[in-house]
Amino acid sequence: MPLPKIEDARNLNDEDLQEQIVSVKRELFQLRFQKGTRQLEKPHQFKHARHRLAQLMTVERERQLQQKDEG
């Protein structure tokens, strides 16, 4: 499975962006829980989830700065 593209995150509206951030944070929590209980089967999922979270938070910050410059 290839890493997600940042353009996918940029195409989301603000509400969907927030929902995705919460979803990915929840997924990371579940992955850490599985790792702690030695039930994690696919460790590469950490990389994908962290990468996606970084993209989403970058887009969120870009939008915050854009609103600040406009306001």
Side-chain angles (χ1 to χ4, degrees), residues 17-58:
L17 184 68
Q18 290 300 321
E19 289 176 11
Q20 287 283 318
I21 289 172
V22 170
S23 174
V24 173
K25 285 183 177 182
R26 188 175 296 123
E27 180 184 352
L28 278 169
F29 174 79
Q30 292 296 328
L31 288 171
R32 283 192 302 270
F33 188 79
Q34 288 175 6
K35 183 180 178 183
T37 58
R38 297 177 186 241
Q39 296 175 347
L40 184 62
E41 296 179 10
K42 300 178 182 178
H44 70 278
Q45 289 176 329
F46 273 110
K47 180 179 181 179
H48 288 272
R50 284 195 317 263
H51 184 80
R52 182 66 175 162
L53 182 61
Q55 288 177 334
L56 293 168
M57 294 183 78
T58 298

Side-chain angles (χ1 to χ4, degrees), residues 2 4 7 26 31 60 64:
E7 289 305 317
R26 188 175 296 123
L31 288 171
E60 180 184 41
Q64 287 174 353

